[in-house]
Amino acid sequence: QHYGDLVCRFGLEFSMALQIDGNIIQCVTPQAADAGSVEVSVSHNGLDFFSATEPFVYIEHVSVLDVQPRLLDVRGAEEVVVTGTGFDAEAGFPAACRIGEAQLNAKDLS
């Protein structure tokens, strides 16, 4: 593992980078002012940056406030309603719920 002069940049914000091996660099995301897309780039000298081909997307903090019903039949096939904040369908990620080991598609009821 090597720190050296490696640095990551998320939009205009810089963060520390750690080289895991010859093909992997690990970055710590800086806090963002708002949700949205930013360009991610890395540098080995702090001057020359190389950008990722896809943007990085910050999303709002997700918080689950309630799940109903709380008791479910072991046979399954029951609808569960999850209430919370930060469920932003426009972020471009499909909504999903995980119950135990099962991951299921979710639908927006709002």
Side-chain angles (χ1 to χ4, degrees):
Q1 296 180 346
H2 172 263
Y3 284 94
D5 295 322
L6 285 174
V7 65
C8 295
R9 186 172 63 191
F10 292 78
L12 300 175
E13 300 295 323
F14 293 88
S15 74
M16 184 175 65
L18 173 65
Q19 186 166 354
I20 303 299
D21 65 28
N23 296 314
I24 300 174
I25 296 173
Q26 180 178 331
C27 304
V28 176
T29 58
Q31 184 173 349
D34 295 305
S37 297
V38 296
E39 180 180 76
V40 176
S41 54
V42 296
S43 174
H44 63 281
N45 61 13
L47 299 172
D48 302 308
F49 284 87
F50 302 92
S51 297
T53 56
E54 296 290 325
F56 182 84
V57 180
Y58 281 100
I59 61 172
E60 293 293 332
H61 177 74
V62 174
S63 177
V64 174
L65 302 175
D66 191 29
V67 179
Q68 290 294 330
R70 293 187 185 268
L71 300 174
L72 301 170
D73 191 310
V74 295
R75 295 173 289 183
E78 293 190 52
E79 285 197 3
V80 174
V81 176
V82 179
T83 306
T85 62
F87 304 151
D88 186 4
E90 297 191 20
F93 302 102
C97 294
R98 179 172 291 169
I99 300 174
E101 296 298 315
Q103 183 167 318
L104 310 164
N105 292 332
K107 61 182 175 182
D108 187 356
L109 300 178
S110 61

Coordinates of all heavy atoms in Angstrom, one line a residue, residues 3-81:
Y3 N 0.8 5.7 -0.3 CA 0.1 7.0 -0.3 C 0.8 7.9 -1.3 O 0.2 8.4 -2.2 CB 0.1 7.6 1.1 CG -0.9 7.0 1.9 CD1 -0.6 6.0 2.8 CD2 -2.3 7.4 1.9 CE1 -1.5 5.4 3.6 CE2 -3.2 6.8 2.7 CZ -2.8 5.8 3.6 OH -3.7 5.2 4.4
G4 N 2.1 8.2 -1.1 CA 2.9 9.0 -2.0 C 2.2 10.3 -2.4 O 1.6 11.0 -1.5
D5 N 2.2 10.7 -3.6 CA 1.5 11.9 -4.1 C 0.2 11.6 -4.8 O -0.3 12.4 -5.5 CB 2.5 12.6 -5.1 CG 3.7 13.1 -4.5 OD1 3.6 13.5 -3.3 OD2 4.8 13.0 -5.1
L6 N -0.4 10.4 -4.6 CA -1.7 10.1 -5.1 C -2.7 11.0 -4.6 O -2.8 11.2 -3.3 CB -2.0 8.6 -4.9 CG -1.3 7.6 -5.7 CD1 -1.7 6.2 -5.2 CD2 -1.7 7.7 -7.2
V7 N -3.6 11.4 -5.4 CA -4.8 12.2 -4.9 C -6.0 11.9 -5.8 O -5.8 11.7 -7.0 CB -4.4 13.7 -4.9 CG1 -4.2 14.3 -6.3 CG2 -5.5 14.5 -4.2
C8 N -7.1 12.0 -5.3 CA -8.4 11.9 -6.0 C -9.1 13.2 -6.0 O -8.9 14.0 -5.1 CB -9.3 10.8 -5.4 SG -8.7 9.2 -5.4
R9 N -9.9 13.5 -7.0 CA -10.6 14.7 -7.1 C -12.0 14.4 -7.5 O -12.3 13.7 -8.5 CB -10.0 15.7 -8.1 CG -10.6 17.0 -8.1 CD -9.9 18.0 -9.0 NE -9.8 17.6 -10.4 CZ -9.0 18.1 -11.3 NH1 -8.2 19.1 -11.0 NH2 -9.1 17.6 -12.5
F10 N -13.0 14.8 -6.7 CA -14.4 14.6 -7.0 C -15.0 16.0 -7.3 O -15.2 16.8 -6.3 CB -15.1 14.1 -5.7 CG -14.7 12.6 -5.5 CD1 -13.5 12.3 -4.8 CD2 -15.6 11.6 -5.8 CE1 -13.2 11.0 -4.6 CE2 -15.2 10.3 -5.6 CZ -14.0 10.0 -4.9
G11 N -15.2 16.3 -8.5 CA -15.6 17.7 -8.9 C -14.4 18.6 -8.6 O -13.3 18.4 -9.2
L12 N -14.6 19.5 -7.7 CA -13.5 20.5 -7.3 C -12.9 20.1 -6.0 O -12.0 20.8 -5.5 CB -14.1 21.9 -7.2 CG -14.6 22.5 -8.5 CD1 -15.2 23.8 -8.3 CD2 -13.6 22.5 -9.6
E13 N -13.4 19.1 -5.3 CA -12.9 18.7 -4.0 C -11.9 17.6 -4.1 O -12.0 16.6 -4.8 CB -14.1 18.2 -3.1 CG -15.1 19.2 -2.9 CD -14.7 20.4 -2.1 OE1 -13.9 20.2 -1.2 OE2 -15.1 21.5 -2.4
F14 N -10.8 17.7 -3.3 CA -9.7 16.7 -3.3 C -9.9 15.8 -2.1 O -10.4 16.1 -1.1 CB -8.4 17.4 -3.2 CG -8.0 18.3 -4.4 CD1 -8.4 19.6 -4.5 CD2 -7.3 17.7 -5.4 CE1 -8.1 20.3 -5.6 CE2 -7.0 18.4 -6.6 CZ -7.4 19.8 -6.7
S15 N -9.3 14.6 -2.3 CA -9.3 13.6 -1.2 C -8.1 12.7 -1.3 O -7.5 12.6 -2.3 CB -10.6 12.7 -1.2 OG -10.5 11.8 -2.3
M16 N -7.8 12.1 -0.2 CA -6.7 11.2 -0.1 C -6.9 9.9 -1.0 O -8.0 9.5 -1.1 CB -6.5 10.8 1.3 CG -5.3 9.9 1.6 SD -5.0 9.6 3.3 CE -6.5 8.6 3.7
A17 N -5.8 9.4 -1.6 CA -5.9 8.2 -2.4 C -4.9 7.2 -1.8 O -3.8 7.6 -1.4 CB -5.6 8.5 -3.8
L18 N -5.3 6.0 -1.9 CA -4.4 4.9 -1.5 C -4.2 3.9 -2.6 O -5.3 3.4 -3.2 CB -5.0 4.2 -0.3 CG -4.3 2.9 0.3 CD1 -2.9 3.3 0.8 CD2 -5.1 2.3 1.4
Q19 N -3.0 3.6 -3.0 CA -2.8 2.6 -4.1 C -2.8 1.2 -3.5 O -1.9 0.9 -2.7 CB -1.5 2.9 -4.8 CG -1.4 2.0 -6.0 CD -0.3 2.4 -7.0 OE1 0.3 3.5 -6.8 NE2 0.0 1.6 -8.0
I20 N -3.8 0.4 -3.9 CA -3.9 -0.9 -3.3 C -3.0 -1.9 -4.1 O -2.3 -2.7 -3.5 CB -5.4 -1.4 -3.5 CG1 -6.3 -0.5 -2.8 CG2 -5.5 -2.9 -3.0 CD1 -6.1 -0.3 -1.3
D21 N -3.0 -1.8 -5.4 CA -2.0 -2.5 -6.2 C -1.8 -1.8 -7.5 O -2.3 -0.6 -7.6 CB -2.4 -4.0 -6.4 CG -3.7 -4.1 -7.2 OD1 -4.0 -3.3 -8.1 OD2 -4.4 -5.2 -7.1
G22 N -1.2 -2.4 -8.5 CA -1.0 -1.7 -9.8 C -2.2 -1.3 -10.6 O -2.1 -0.4 -11.4
N23 N -3.3 -1.8 -10.3 CA -4.6 -1.5 -11.0 C -5.7 -0.9 -10.2 O -6.7 -0.6 -10.7 CB -5.1 -2.8 -11.7 CG -4.2 -3.3 -12.7 OD1 -3.6 -2.6 -13.5 ND2 -3.9 -4.6 -12.6
I24 N -5.5 -0.8 -8.9 CA -6.6 -0.3 -8.0 C -6.1 0.8 -7.1 O -5.0 0.7 -6.4 CB -7.1 -1.4 -7.1 CG1 -7.6 -2.6 -8.0 CG2 -8.1 -0.9 -6.1 CD1 -8.1 -3.8 -7.2
I25 N -6.8 1.9 -7.1 CA -6.6 3.1 -6.2 C -7.9 3.3 -5.4 O -9.0 3.3 -6.0 CB -6.3 4.4 -7.0 CG1 -5.0 4.2 -7.8 CG2 -6.2 5.6 -6.1 CD1 -4.7 5.4 -8.7
Q26 N -7.8 3.4 -4.1 CA -8.9 3.6 -3.3 C -9.0 5.1 -2.8 O -8.0 5.6 -2.4 CB -8.8 2.7 -2.0 CG -9.9 2.9 -1.1 CD -9.7 1.9 0.1 OE1 -9.1 0.8 0.0 NE2 -10.3 2.3 1.3
C27 N -10.1 5.7 -3.0 CA -10.3 7.1 -2.7 C -11.4 7.2 -1.6 O -12.3 6.4 -1.5 CB -10.8 7.9 -3.9 SG -9.8 7.8 -5.3
V28 N -11.3 8.3 -0.7 CA -12.3 8.6 0.3 C -13.1 9.7 -0.3 O -12.5 10.8 -0.6 CB -11.6 9.0 1.6 CG1 -12.7 9.4 2.6 CG2 -10.8 7.8 2.1
T29 N -14.4 9.6 -0.3 CA -15.2 10.6 -0.9 C -15.3 11.8 0.0 O -15.6 11.6 1.2 CB -16.7 10.1 -1.2 OG1 -17.2 9.6 0.0 CG2 -16.7 9.0 -2.2
P30 N -15.1 13.0 -0.5 CA -15.4 14.2 0.3 C -16.9 14.5 0.5 O -17.7 14.0 -0.3 CB -14.7 15.3 -0.5 CG -14.7 14.8 -1.9 CD -14.6 13.3 -1.8
Q31 N -17.2 15.2 1.4 CA -18.6 15.6 1.6 C -19.0 16.5 0.4 O -18.3 17.4 0.0 CB -18.8 16.4 2.9 CG -20.3 16.7 3.2 CD -20.4 17.3 4.6 OE1 -19.5 17.3 5.4 NE2 -21.6 17.9 4.8
A32 N -20.3 16.3 -0.1 CA -20.8 17.2 -1.2 C -21.8 18.1 -0.6 O -22.5 17.9 0.3 CB -21.4 16.3 -2.2
A33 N -21.9 19.3 -1.3 CA -22.8 20.3 -0.9 C -24.3 19.9 -1.3 O -25.2 20.1 -0.5 CB -22.5 21.7 -1.5
D34 N -24.4 19.2 -2.4 CA -25.7 18.8 -2.9 C -25.6 17.5 -3.6 O -24.5 17.0 -4.0 CB -26.2 19.8 -4.0 CG -26.4 21.2 -3.4 OD1 -27.2 21.3 -2.4 OD2 -25.9 22.2 -3.9
A35 N -26.7 16.8 -3.8 CA -26.8 15.6 -4.6 C -26.5 16.0 -6.1 O -26.8 17.1 -6.5 CB -28.1 14.9 -4.4
G36 N -26.0 15.0 -6.8 CA -25.7 15.2 -8.2 C -24.5 14.6 -8.7 O -23.7 14.0 -8.0
S37 N -24.2 14.7 -10.0 CA -23.0 14.1 -10.6 C -21.8 15.0 -10.6 O -21.9 16.2 -10.7 CB -23.3 13.8 -12.1 OG -24.4 12.9 -12.3
V38 N -20.7 14.3 -10.3 CA -19.4 15.0 -10.4 C -18.4 14.2 -11.2 O -18.5 13.0 -11.2 CB -18.8 15.3 -9.0 CG1 -19.7 16.3 -8.2 CG2 -18.6 14.1 -8.2
E39 N -17.4 14.8 -11.7 CA -16.3 14.1 -12.4 C -15.4 13.6 -11.4 O -15.0 14.3 -10.4 CB -15.6 15.1 -13.4 CG -14.5 14.4 -14.2 CD -13.8 15.4 -15.1 OE1 -13.1 16.2 -14.6 OE2 -14.1 15.3 -16.3
V40 N -14.9 12.4 -11.5 CA -13.9 11.8 -10.7 C -12.6 11.7 -11.4 O -12.6 11.2 -12.6 CB -14.3 10.4 -10.1 CG1 -13.2 9.8 -9.3 CG2 -15.6 10.5 -9.3
S41 N -11.5 12.1 -10.9 CA -10.2 12.0 -11.5 C -9.1 11.7 -10.5 O -9.3 11.9 -9.3 CB -9.9 13.3 -12.3 OG -9.9 14.4 -11.4
V42 N -8.0 11.1 -10.9 CA -6.9 10.8 -10.0 C -5.6 11.4 -10.6 O -5.5 11.6 -11.8 CB -6.8 9.2 -9.9 CG1 -8.0 8.7 -9.2 CG2 -6.6 8.6 -11.2
S43 N -4.7 11.6 -9.7 CA -3.4 12.1 -10.1 C -2.3 11.4 -9.3 O -2.5 11.1 -8.1 CB -3.4 13.6 -9.9 OG -2.1 14.1 -10.1
H44 N -1.2 11.2 -9.9 CA 0.0 10.7 -9.2 C 1.0 11.7 -8.8 O 1.9 11.5 -8.1 CB 0.7 9.6 -10.1 CG 1.2 10.2 -11.4 ND1 0.5 10.5 -12.5 CD2 2.5 10.6 -11.7 CE1 1.2 11.0 -13.4 NE2 2.5 11.1 -13.0
N45 N 0.7 13.0 -9.3 CA 1.6 14.1 -8.9 C 0.9 15.4 -8.5 O 1.6 16.4 -8.2 CB 2.5 14.4 -10.1 CG 1.8 14.9 -11.3 OD1 0.6 15.2 -11.3 ND2 2.5 14.9 -12.5
G46 N -0.4 15.4 -8.4 CA -1.2 16.5 -8.0 C -1.3 17.6 -9.1 O -2.0 18.6 -8.8
L47 N -0.8 17.3 -10.3 CA -0.9 18.3 -11.4 C -1.6 17.7 -12.6 O -2.5 18.4 -13.1 CB 0.5 18.8 -11.8 CG 1.3 19.5 -10.7 CD1 2.8 19.7 -11.2 CD2 0.7 20.8 -10.3
D48 N -1.3 16.5 -12.9 CA -1.9 15.9 -14.1 C -3.0 14.9 -13.6 O -2.7 13.9 -12.9 CB -0.8 15.1 -14.9 CG 0.3 16.0 -15.3 OD1 0.0 17.0 -16.0 OD2 1.5 15.7 -15.1
F49 N -4.2 15.2 -14.0 CA -5.3 14.4 -13.6 C -5.9 13.6 -14.7 O -6.0 14.0 -15.9 CB -6.4 15.3 -13.0 CG -6.1 15.8 -11.6 CD1 -5.4 16.9 -11.4 CD2 -6.5 15.0 -10.5 CE1 -5.0 17.3 -10.2 CE2 -6.2 15.5 -9.2 CZ -5.5 16.6 -9.1
F50 N -6.3 12.4 -14.4 CA -6.9 11.5 -15.4 C -8.3 11.2 -14.9 O -8.5 10.7 -13.8 CB -6.1 10.2 -15.5 CG -4.7 10.5 -15.9 CD1 -3.7 10.7 -15.0 CD2 -4.3 10.6 -17.3 CE1 -2.4 11.0 -15.4 CE2 -3.0 10.9 -17.7 CZ -2.1 11.1 -16.7
S51 N -9.3 11.4 -15.8 CA -10.7 11.3 -15.4 C -11.3 10.0 -15.7 O -11.0 9.3 -16.7 CB -11.6 12.4 -16.1 OG -11.1 13.7 -15.8
A52 N -12.3 9.6 -14.9 CA -13.1 8.3 -15.1 C -14.0 8.6 -16.3 O -14.4 9.7 -16.6 CB -13.9 8.0 -13.9
T53 N -14.4 7.5 -17.0 CA -15.3 7.7 -18.1 C -16.7 8.0 -17.7 O -17.4 8.5 -18.5 CB -15.2 6.4 -19.0 OG1 -15.5 5.3 -18.2 CG2 -13.8 6.2 -19.6
E54 N -17.1 7.5 -16.5 CA -18.5 7.8 -16.0 C -18.4 8.7 -14.8 O -17.5 8.6 -14.0 CB -19.1 6.4 -15.6 CG -19.3 5.4 -16.8 CD -20.4 5.9 -17.7 OE1 -21.4 6.5 -17.3 OE2 -20.2 5.6 -18.9
P55 N -19.4 9.5 -14.7 CA -19.5 10.4 -13.5 C -19.8 9.7 -12.2 O -20.3 8.6 -12.3 CB -20.6 11.4 -13.8 CG -21.5 10.7 -14.8 CD -20.6 9.8 -15.6
F56 N -19.4 10.2 -11.1 CA -19.8 9.7 -9.8 C -21.0 10.5 -9.4 O -21.1 11.7 -9.6 CB -18.6 10.0 -8.8 CG -18.8 9.5 -7.5 CD1 -18.5 8.2 -7.1 CD2 -19.3 10.3 -6.5 CE1 -18.7 7.7 -5.9 CE2 -19.5 9.9 -5.2 CZ -19.2 8.5 -4.9
V57 N -22.0 9.8 -8.8 CA -23.3 10.4 -8.4 C -23.4 10.4 -6.9 O -23.4 9.3 -6.3 CB -24.5 9.7 -9.1 CG1 -25.8 10.3 -8.7 CG2 -24.3 9.6 -10.6
Y58 N -23.5 11.6 -6.3 CA -23.9 11.8 -4.9 C -25.4 11.7 -4.8 O -26.1 12.4 -5.6 CB -23.4 13.1 -4.4 CG -21.9 13.2 -4.0 CD1 -21.0 13.8 -4.9 CD2 -21.5 12.7 -2.8 CE1 -19.7 13.9 -4.5 CE2 -20.1 12.8 -2.4 CZ -19.2 13.4 -3.3 OH -17.9 13.5 -3.0
I59 N -25.9 11.0 -3.9 CA -27.4 10.9 -3.7 C -27.7 11.5 -2.3 O -26.8 11.5 -1.4 CB -27.9 9.5 -3.8 CG1 -27.3 8.5 -2.8 CG2 -27.7 9.0 -5.3 CD1 -27.9 7.2 -2.8
E60 N -28.9 11.8 -2.1 CA -29.3 12.3 -0.7 C -29.2 11.1 0.3 O -29.3 10.0 -0.1 CB -30.8 12.8 -0.8 CG -31.0 14.0 -1.6 CD -30.4 15.3 -1.0 OE1 -30.2 15.3 0.3 OE2 -30.0 16.1 -1.7
H61 N -29.0 11.5 1.5 CA -28.9 10.5 2.6 C -30.3 9.7 2.6 O -31.3 10.4 2.6 CB -28.6 11.1 3.9 CG -28.6 10.2 5.1 ND1 -27.6 9.3 5.3 CD2 -29.5 9.9 6.0 CE1 -27.9 8.5 6.3 NE2 -29.1 8.9 6.8
V62 N -30.2 8.4 2.6 CA -31.4 7.6 2.7 C -31.7 7.3 4.1 O -30.8 6.8 4.8 CB -31.3 6.4 1.8 CG1 -32.5 5.4 2.0 CG2 -31.1 6.7 0.4
S63 N -33.0 7.4 4.5 CA -33.4 7.1 5.9 C -34.7 6.4 5.9 O -35.7 6.8 5.2 CB -33.5 8.4 6.7 OG -34.0 8.1 8.0
V64 N -34.7 5.2 6.5 CA -36.0 4.4 6.6 C -36.6 4.8 7.9 O -36.0 4.7 9.0 CB -35.7 2.9 6.5 CG1 -37.0 2.1 6.8 CG2 -35.1 2.5 5.2
L65 N -37.9 5.3 7.8 CA -38.6 5.7 9.0 C -39.6 4.7 9.5 O -39.8 4.6 10.7 CB -39.4 7.0 8.7 CG -38.5 8.2 8.2 CD1 -39.4 9.4 7.8 CD2 -37.5 8.6 9.3
D66 N -40.1 3.9 8.6 CA -41.1 2.9 9.0 C -41.2 1.8 8.0 O -41.0 2.1 6.8 CB -42.5 3.6 9.2 CG -43.5 2.6 9.9 OD1 -43.1 1.8 10.7 OD2 -44.7 2.8 9.6
V67 N -41.6 0.6 8.4 CA -41.9 -0.5 7.5 C -43.2 -1.2 8.0 O -43.3 -1.5 9.2 CB -40.7 -1.6 7.5 CG1 -41.0 -2.7 6.6 CG2 -39.4 -0.9 7.1
Q68 N -44.1 -1.3 7.1 CA -45.4 -2.0 7.4 C -45.8 -3.0 6.4 O -45.6 -2.8 5.2 CB -46.5 -0.9 7.5 CG -46.3 0.0 8.7 CD -46.5 -0.7 10.0 OE1 -47.2 -1.6 10.2 NE2 -45.8 -0.1 11.1
P69 N -46.3 -4.1 6.7 CA -46.5 -4.6 8.1 C -45.2 -5.1 8.7 O -44.3 -5.4 8.0 CB -47.5 -5.7 7.9 CG -47.2 -6.3 6.6 CD -46.8 -5.1 5.7
R70 N -45.2 -5.2 10.0 CA -44.0 -5.7 10.7 C -43.9 -7.2 10.8 O -42.9 -7.7 11.1 CB -43.9 -5.0 12.1 CG -43.6 -3.5 12.0 CD -43.4 -2.9 13.3 NE -43.3 -1.5 13.2 CZ -42.1 -0.8 13.0 NH1 -41.0 -1.5 12.9 NH2 -42.1 0.5 12.9
L71 N -45.1 -7.8 10.7 CA -45.2 -9.3 10.8 C -45.6 -9.8 9.4 O -46.5 -9.3 8.8 CB -46.2 -9.7 11.8 CG -46.0 -9.3 13.2 CD1 -47.1 -9.6 14.1 CD2 -44.7 -9.9 13.8
L72 N -44.8 -10.8 8.9 CA -45.0 -11.3 7.6 C -45.3 -12.8 7.6 O -44.6 -13.5 8.4 CB -43.8 -11.0 6.6 CG -43.5 -9.5 6.5 CD1 -42.2 -9.4 5.8 CD2 -44.6 -8.8 5.7
D73 N -46.1 -13.3 6.7 CA -46.3 -14.7 6.6 C -45.1 -15.4 6.0 O -44.5 -14.8 5.0 CB -47.6 -14.9 5.7 CG -48.0 -16.4 5.7 OD1 -47.2 -17.3 5.5 OD2 -49.3 -16.6 5.8
V74 N -44.7 -16.5 6.5 CA -43.5 -17.2 6.0 C -43.6 -17.6 4.6 O -42.6 -17.9 3.9 CB -43.1 -18.4 6.9 CG1 -42.7 -18.0 8.3 CG2 -44.3 -19.4 6.9
R75 N -44.9 -17.7 4.0 CA -45.1 -18.1 2.6 C -44.7 -17.0 1.7 O -44.7 -17.1 0.5 CB -46.5 -18.6 2.4 CG -46.8 -19.9 3.2 CD -48.2 -20.2 3.1 NE -49.0 -19.2 3.9 CZ -50.3 -19.2 4.1 NH1 -51.0 -20.2 3.5 NH2 -50.9 -18.3 4.8
G76 N -44.6 -15.7 2.2 CA -44.2 -14.6 1.4 C -45.4 -14.1 0.6 O -46.5 -14.2 0.9
A77 N -45.0 -13.4 -0.5 CA -46.0 -12.8 -1.5 C -46.8 -11.7 -0.8 O -47.9 -11.4 -1.3 CB -46.9 -13.8 -2.1
E78 N -46.3 -11.0 0.2 CA -47.0 -9.9 0.8 C -46.3 -8.6 0.4 O -45.1 -8.6 0.3 CB -47.0 -10.0 2.4 CG -47.8 -11.2 2.9 CD -48.0 -11.1 4.4 OE1 -48.4 -10.1 4.9 OE2 -47.7 -12.1 5.0
E79 N -47.1 -7.6 0.3 CA -46.5 -6.3 0.0 C -46.1 -5.6 1.3 O -46.8 -5.7 2.3 CB -47.5 -5.4 -0.7 CG -47.7 -5.7 -2.2 CD -48.3 -4.6 -3.0 OE1 -48.6 -3.5 -2.5 OE2 -48.6 -4.9 -4.2
V80 N -44.9 -5.0 1.2 CA -44.4 -4.3 2.4 C -44.2 -2.8 1.9 O -43.7 -2.5 0.9 CB -43.0 -4.8 2.8 CG1 -42.3 -4.0 3.8 CG2 -43.1 -6.3 3.2
V81 N -44.7 -1.9 2.8 CA -44.5 -0.5 2.5 C -43.4 0.1 3.4 O -43.5 0.0 4.6 CB -45.9 0.3 2.8 CG1 -45.7 1.8 2.5 CG2 -47.0 -0.3 1.9

